[in-house]
Amino acid sequence: MRWSNWADTSSVCGIEVAEPAATAEVSALLREASEHGRRVRPIGAGHSFSAVARPVDLAVDLRRLCGVRVIADGGGRVRVGAGIVLGDLNAALAAHGLALPNLGDIDRQRLAGALATGTHGTGGRLHGLASAVTGLTLVTPDGQIHATAPGDGLFEAARISLGALGVVTEVELATVPAFRLRAEEGPEPLDAVLADVDAFVASADHAEFFWFPHTRVASTRRNHRVDDGGGRPLPRWQSHLSDHLLGNRAYELVNRVGAARPGWVPALNRLSAATLGRRTYTDASAQVFCSERSVRFAESEYALPRAAVVPALRDLRAWFDRTRAAVTFPLEVRFLAADDVWLSGAQGRATAYVACHQHVRGGFADVFAAFETIMAAYDGRPHWGKLHTVDAARLAELHPHFEDFLAVRERCDPARVLTNPHLERILGP
Ligand SMILES: Cc1cc2nc3c(=O)[nH]c(=O)nc-3n(C[C@H](O)[C@H](O)[C@H](O)COP(=O)(O)OP(=O)(O)OC[C@H]3O[C@@H](n4cnc5c(N)ncnc54)[C@H](O)[C@@H]3O)c2cc1C
């Protein structure tokens, strides 16, 4: 079968896909593959832009392992099949009056895939998805089943594992009581936001902004947690108009025009920024966090020390002004508190995530090369699921627990059953 990722930036033909329905089946599969010298990759929904999931011989797809069980007297902890799609997990949690504390932009990923690459949303006092993990079941290539818990090295490494330690089959998560968000979206001068970024971050539970290159406008989003039932969701027609038509179909057209007429891109970006108008609405958290993304794009994203975000964005703006690069997608800037997850972008430091997108037909190699050079100057850590060119030697300088992670990899997978060329570059052979 042919495997490709969402953006079609990575693909391969002629691989075998197994869909085990139980941890014991995963164990038998891995043992047999190891004995026959086959390379195995666990795969999620293929939403990583990088080739981190790219299978070599055998792909293990856990779509059949997707149950959700609330742990009795567990204070909101749940045990979940690792192959569940995030949207299904959100719906199952909501049915129990629960929610995840923070989410990214979409809900199409599978839980284990999203965890393995450090998927995150925004919130200056909050963390990425992996921080909600309180336990994991991991099957190593020798077929052993490990129940891991906070405090042991395997757990610390396995929360963001890049699929390099084993196949995660079950995840225990700490959830919070279901909550609603009041969303306030609108344009603001980019310079005003950059003048006091800390105030911007503190102005909402979840603050972020988009910036279309060649404009001076930040399209800001502030999501506030609200206890009361007040406030309304967007009417169906309006959410359809803004998210599905303006956000997607018309935007596809803008991108086609931009690809055909690169000189028009600054004007098109001013139009796009103006279209992302002002709106306020209130809805269940998952409805506000996640939306549909049907225009295909490529993405690179870096986690910067929070204090570096303003000079880094100024450098990016100077580069766009100088080159007039035809980038029709906005940069996205999000914020997280420092965490303690070994391979997290936000490990040990308050973080600003800066993401650079380009339409898949737009040609992104030059833009991402310039973007990466600027991010590197500020000790940016690349997002594991997005496009980047960083190698193991540099990653060891950027991640204080990188060597610890490699030691766990050595114990779990000494024969490198779970590898591919991308992992060889970022982790070493
Ligand atoms: C439109 C779009 C929007 C996005 N928005 C965000 C966002 O807001 N925030 C953010 O941080 N990222 C975002 N991403 C990136 C995405 O969340 C990550 O790349 C994520 O890893 C994709 O999950 P997946 O299920 O598709 O996993 P895949 O891409 O299929 O796999 C990712 C990794 O997980 C490993 N893996 C999968 N299953 C298992 C398992 N059972 N056990 C062990 N390892 C496993 C794979 O081997 C691979 O290394 C976005 C991506 C897209 C395409």
Side-chain angles (χ1 to χ4, degrees), residues 6 41-49 52-53 62 104-106 109-110 112-114 116-120 162-163 166-168 293 297 334 383 385-386:
W6 179 86
R41 293 304 293 140
I43 55 168
H47 276 56
S48 293
F49 298 88
V52 67
L62 293 194
D105 290 341
I106 60 158
Q109 309 95 316
R110 294 182 183 278
T117 60
T119 295
H120 65 91
L162 312 174
V167 176
V168 174
R293 294 278 194 277
F297 56 84
R334 295 180 277 188
H383 187 306
K386 314 230 170 150

Side-chain angles (χ1 to χ4, degrees), residues 52-135:
V52 67
R54 187 177 185 270
V56 177
D57 299 319
L58 174 66
V60 178
D61 181 331
L62 293 194
R63 64 181 59 225
R64 294 163 72 197
L65 266 165
C66 57
V68 179
R69 181 170 60 82
V70 178
I71 299 171
D73 300 326
R77 277 179 303 133
V78 293
R79 244 191 124 74
V80 184
I84 194 167
V85 172
L86 287 184
D88 296 339
L89 173 59
N90 293 334
L93 292 179
H96 291 286
L98 300 171
L100 289 171
N102 203 3
L103 288 165
D105 290 341
I106 60 158
D107 61 6
R108 298 294 86 207
Q109 309 95 316
R110 294 182 183 278
L111 176 63
L115 289 172
T117 60
T119 295
H120 65 91
T122 189
R125 289 184 299 273
L126 296 160
H127 301 123
L129 210 52
S131 288
V133 175
T134 52

